[in-house]
Amino acid sequence: MTDVLAPGSTIGILGGGQLGRMLSVAASRLGFKTHIFEPSATPPAGHVADRVTTAGYEDAEALAAFAASVDVITYEFENIPTSALDLLESQKPIRPGREALRISQDRLTEKNFLQDLGLQTAPFADITDQASLDTALAEIGAPSILKTRRFGYDGKGQARIKTPEDAGEALAAMAGAPSILEGFVNFSHEVSVIAARGVSGEIACFDPGENVHRDGILHTTTVPARLSTGQRMDAVLMAGKILNALEYVGVLGVELFVTPQGLIVNEIAPRVHNSGHWTQNGCTVDQFEQHIRAVVGWPLGDGQRHSDVVMENLIGDDVDRIPELAKEADCAIHLYGKAEAKAGRKMGHVNRVVKAQA
Amino acid sequence: MTDVLAPGSTIGILGGGQLGRMLSVAASRLGFKTHIFEPSATPPAGHVADRVTTAGYEDAEALAAFAASVDVITYEFENIPTSALDLLESQKPIRPGREALRISQDRLTEKNFLQDLGLQTAPFADITDQASLDTALAEIGAPSILKTRRFGYDGKGQARIKTPEDAGEALAAMAGAPSILEGFVNFSHEVSVIAARGVSGEIACFDPGENVHRDGILHTTTVPARLSTGQRMDAVLMAGKILNALEYVGVLGVELFVTPQGLIVNEIAPRVHNSGHWTQNGCTVDQFEQHIRAVVGWPLGDGQRHSDVVMENLIGDDVDRIPELAKEADCAIHLYGKAEAKAGRKMGHVNRVVKAQA
């Protein structure tokens, strides 16, 4: 392919959840078709995609047919098996590239990468067994948190260690998976930067949002975040450093802890990010379209905010509030088309436009 | 069905063009699926719909299967054959209802309906032959315009009569179709009101937009329109009168001529309207979502504008300007996924956000 795709081309998306769904809608605005690859039946993204392939990541034939049918491949989640990526990459470009996936798939690799860039992270240590955990706890101390190196999200695959006595139970909870101990960071609040880099290296950032979590899941993102001008600039520069180091193409989410000692990187996500959903009602080009623009080689939106927004996730039964939410003025509803409202399941979100910019 | 549909329900849309496409996207935001019914192959709306039926309006079996698969039926164009409507309506509710279609399908019926409501229209006369045209011309005068009563859009099925000598040629251009002669209205500019009425009778209007046409096709809509406060109120009241008279459910477009003698109704369209596309980037709930909200029995958005917008249609080769347009800040691109850029074909539009409201 050339670097720039024309309208009418097809974008392949790995993963058919809500992020794939909103990416698909954004792609349609720019005249692109999408083809979703997803192992589960009736994925939310399928309602608004031109094509859906229902197959597993070990199905080489399905992967090859998928790759043959699209012009570029992107993804909505980072835990794509390496074998599938190898096969796909031999046929079509994958954006963002493999390096971003390699690093973000593994918490230890990611922390080392960030430190090598000169960015601050929580203190951390590689945990392989009880002995390495004891050594790490002696150095990092408690409270701290033990996390599997791979496949964690929304608080899953994590165990808190309040006192050193919790160590054994926490290690057992990892079920033998390679893990990482992260020290406690004394932060006042968490913010995130949704940043994008285009094929020719240009960078555009959205204003940082301030995140509040509940039960380990993002609850609200408020824009603007409480940050000094200096902190705001730091946040954007840090995101830019990460994007350039990865020669990244697409949208990246960077979660940051705000501390008296500066901004500390919590984690990065090589994709559109829940904390960037506010851009749908705060910016002319939202994070989903920004990602699509990057992936197809188009100029990026400038990230400017036309309105202040508070995004609130609708988790599980929250979706029962829709009849009331629909009555609120300036409340934009975004539902994901998921059939069943299980506890802890992200069913949708609302963006409350709280103030327009003059 | 009950009057209120829950997320997860399916909305049937007759017509798979750009309006159906943008309705489908809006429906997805509220968690609804869409099923498109469209005679042409590969309709633009199909790229973002859950299902597509490719069949003609005379195909009773396909219509019945379509109706059986959806919870409510709406449409993106008014010229749906009566036989198809009869069949569909026997199975599922059609919103907006039949009365709106009956009236807007026929220019003569529409003009009479508007006059009966006490609204001003251009002078008009029913034309069946040369004699009735001669009589009408003697009364209404030239310049005037002869239009087929049915199936006209974007300047098609129309012939201008500059002097009475043009009458014969104009009548020939109607090819025997029942027609209407419309007198010339001396207007300063054209505006349109995009108005909505919900199932329980509540009404919400968007701010009137000012329309500029080129070669008989809408070129730009600018919001706010040049209107006095009184005119703005008149426009909204007129739209409300029409909606209530039709017991309308959904979004309706009303085109108005601005004259020193007041606002004169040009025509009404019982659907989302090209002159309402600006709402996608000017309002929290745009005209497409507003229509979906009405059709599924949800509360309407309040129609408030957060930004001033200039909408520009991309017709035919205009689409070649996309690489440049994509570089403009505050320029939202909306392409329709049409494969071929024929002359006069609506390929997309851009919404330029020119000023945010404080």
Side-chain angles (χ1 to χ4, degrees):
Chain A
M1 72 181 267
T2 62
D3 271 347
V4 179
L5 288 183
S9 307
T10 299
I11 300 166
I13 301 177
L14 303 172
Q18 65 266 22
L19 301 181
R21 177 180 172 98
M22 293 183 279
L23 284 169
S24 192
V25 163
S28 84
R29 279 204 301 270
L30 302 183
F32 293 98
K33 294 179 212 166
T34 56
H35 184 167
I36 305 291
F37 190 98
E38 164 67 48
S40 329
T42 65
H47 304 164
V48 284
D50 190 48
R51 286 184 65 184
V52 178
T53 292
T54 307
Y57 287 104
E58 71 297 337
D59 185 337
E61 205 176 321
L63 287 167
F66 169 77
S69 77
V70 303
D71 298 292
V72 66
I73 296 167
T74 189
Y75 43 87
E76 63 151 18
F77 74 118
E78 51 271 43
N79 292 318
I80 306 152
T82 302
S83 60
L85 292 168
D86 288 342
L87 192 153
L88 293 169
E89 201 178 37
S90 70
Q91 287 188 250
K92 290 290 158 59
I94 299 179
R95 293 175 178 168
R98 293 293 293 275
E99 184 62 0
L101 284 170
R102 187 183 69 80
I103 283 173
S104 60
Q105 281 181 347
D106 185 319
R107 292 182 192 280
L108 184 65
T109 313
E110 183 177 310
K111 286 271 194 298
N112 283 321
F113 163 76
L114 294 166
Q115 283 210 333
D116 289 349
L117 282 181
L119 304 177
Q120 291 191 80
T121 68
F124 65 93
D126 183 13
I127 305 300
T128 50
D129 53 18
Q130 186 69 50
S132 55
L133 179 54
D134 291 341
T135 309
L137 269 175
E139 193 182 321
I140 291 171
S144 51
I145 188 159
L146 193 62
K147 299 178 176 179
T148 56
R149 282 172 56 176
R150 296 173 64 93
F151 303 119
Y153 69 96
D154 286 347
K156 294 188 174 67
Q158 306 192 1
R160 283 179 181 278
I161 299 180
K162 286 180 189 159
T163 68
E165 287 71 52
D166 298 339
E169 197 180 327
L171 193 62
M174 300 298 107
S179 302
I180 176 175
L181 185 73
E182 289 185 17
F184 183 74
V185 174
N186 195 1
F187 62 95
S188 55
H189 51 295
E190 185 199 291
V191 300
S192 55
V193 182
I194 308 301
R197 187 172 175 277
V199 282
S200 47
E202 76 276 22
I203 284 177
C205 289
F206 294 105
D207 283 328
E210 181 169 335
N211 303 326
V212 174
H213 292 80
R214 199 181 266 183
D215 303 327
I217 303 176
L218 184 65
H219 174 49
T220 60
T221 300
T222 300
V223 181
R226 286 173 297 159
L227 288 175
S228 68
T229 308
Q231 286 170 326
R232 205 172 296 270
M233 204 167 292
D234 279 353
V236 165
L237 290 172
M238 290 164 79
K241 210 169 195 174
I242 295 167
L243 288 170
N244 283 329
L246 296 171
E247 295 185 31
Y248 196 88
V249 175
V251 161
L252 175 97
V254 184
E255 292 180 10
L256 300 164
F257 294 135
V258 182
T259 79
Q261 292 75 44
L263 300 175
I264 291 177
V265 184
N266 178 29
E267 61 179 29
I268 63 175
R271 51 170 170 79
V272 288
H273 197 257
N274 195 165
S275 68
H277 291 0
W278 68 269
T279 58
Q280 294 174 309
N281 297 92
C283 304
T284 301
V285 173
D286 67 19
Q287 70 162 345
F288 301 99
E289 181 173 331
Q290 188 78 309
H291 186 75
I292 296 294
R293 281 176 174 241
V295 162
V296 298
W298 284 28
L300 300 180
D302 64 3
Q304 213 190 304
R305 182 174 97 253
H306 61 64
S307 300
D308 293 352
V309 179
V310 178
M311 188 285 304
E312 180 187 349
N313 268 338
L314 303 176
I315 310 288
D317 289 345
D318 286 345
V319 81
D320 297 340
R321 289 163 46 209
I322 284 295
E324 287 309 309
L325 292 166
K327 290 181 197 161
E328 282 185 38
D330 297 323
C331 178
I333 294 173
H334 299 267
L335 294 179
Y336 305 154
K338 297 181 183 175
E340 237 185 311
K342 291 184 195 158
R345 195 174 202 194
K346 290 178 179 173
M347 301 300 293
H349 65 274
V350 292
N351 286 329
R352 290 195 175 85
V353 178
V354 290
K355 200 187 77 183
Q357 306 298 302
Chain B
M1 71 181 267
T2 62
D3 271 348
V4 178
L5 288 183
S9 307
T10 299
I11 300 166
I13 301 177
L14 303 172
Q18 64 267 21
L19 301 181
R21 177 179 171 99
M22 293 184 278
L23 283 170
S24 192
V25 162
S28 82
R29 280 204 300 270
L30 302 183
F32 294 97
K33 294 180 212 166
T34 57
H35 184 167
I36 306 291
F37 190 98
E38 165 65 49
S40 329
T42 66
H47 305 164
V48 285
D50 190 47
R51 284 183 67 183
V52 179
T53 292
T54 307
Y57 287 104
E58 72 295 339
D59 185 338
E61 205 176 320
L63 287 166
F66 169 78
S69 76
V70 304
D71 298 293
V72 66
I73 296 167
T74 189
Y75 44 86
E76 63 152 15
F77 74 118
E78 50 270 43
N79 292 317
I80 306 152
T82 302
S83 60
L85 292 169
D86 288 342
L87 192 153
L88 293 169
E89 201 177 37
S90 70
Q91 287 188 250
K92 290 289 156 62
I94 298 180
R95 293 176 179 166
R98 292 293 293 274
E99 184 63 358
L101 283 169
R102 187 184 70 79
I103 283 172
S104 60
Q105 282 182 348
D106 184 320
R107 292 182 193 278
L108 183 66
T109 313
E110 182 177 310
K111 286 271 193 300
N112 283 321
F113 163 76
L114 294 167
Q115 282 210 335
D116 290 348
L117 282 180
L119 304 177
Q120 291 191 80
T121 67
F124 65 94
D126 182 14
I127 305 300
T128 51
D129 53 17
Q130 186 69 50
S132 54
L133 179 54
D134 291 341
T135 310
L137 270 175
E139 193 183 321
I140 292 171
S144 52
I145 188 159
L146 193 63
K147 300 178 177 179
T148 56
R149 281 173 55 177
R150 296 173 63 93
F151 303 120
Y153 69 97
D154 285 348
K156 292 186 175 69
Q158 304 193 1
R160 283 179 182 276
I161 299 180
K162 287 179 190 161
T163 68
E165 287 71 53
D166 298 339
E169 197 181 326
L171 193 63
M174 299 299 106
S179 302
I180 176 174
L181 184 73
E182 289 184 18
F184 183 75
V185 174
N186 196 359
F187 62 95
S188 57
H189 51 295
E190 185 200 291
V191 300
S192 55
V193 182
I194 307 301
R197 187 171 175 276
V199 282
S200 48
E202 75 277 23
I203 284 177
C205 289
F206 294 104
D207 283 327
E210 182 169 335
N211 302 326
V212 173
H213 292 80
R214 199 182 266 183
D215 303 326
I217 303 176
L218 184 66
H219 175 50
T220 59
T221 299
T222 300
V223 181
R226 286 173 298 160
L227 288 175
S228 68
T229 309
Q231 286 170 326
R232 205 171 296 270
M233 204 167 291
D234 279 352
V236 165
L237 290 172
M238 289 164 79
K241 210 167 195 176
I242 296 167
L243 288 170
N244 283 330
L246 296 170
E247 295 185 33
Y248 196 86
V249 176
V251 161
L252 175 97
V254 184
E255 293 180 8
L256 300 163
F257 294 134
V258 182
T259 80
Q261 291 75 44
L263 300 174
I264 292 177
V265 184
N266 178 29
E267 61 178 30
I268 63 176
R271 52 170 169 79
V272 288
H273 197 259
N274 195 165
S275 68
H277 291 0
W278 68 270
T279 57
Q280 295 174 308
N281 297 93
C283 303
T284 301
V285 172
D286 68 19
Q287 70 161 347
F288 301 99
E289 181 173 332
Q290 188 79 311
H291 186 75
I292 296 294
R293 281 175 174 242
V295 162
V296 298
W298 284 28
L300 300 180
D302 64 3
Q304 214 190 304
R305 183 175 96 252
H306 60 66
S307 301
D308 292 353
V309 179
V310 178
M311 188 286 302
E312 181 187 347
N313 267 339
L314 303 176
I315 310 289
D317 290 344
D318 286 347
V319 82
D320 297 339
R321 290 162 46 209
I322 284 294
E324 288 308 308
L325 292 166
K327 292 181 195 161
E328 281 185 39
D330 297 323
C331 178
I333 294 172
H334 299 267
L335 294 179
Y336 305 153
K338 297 181 183 176
E340 237 185 309
K342 290 184 197 159
R345 196 175 201 192
K346 290 178 179 173
M347 302 300 294
H349 66 275
V350 292
N351 286 328
R352 290 196 175 84
V353 179
V354 290
K355 201 187 76 184
Q357 305 298 301

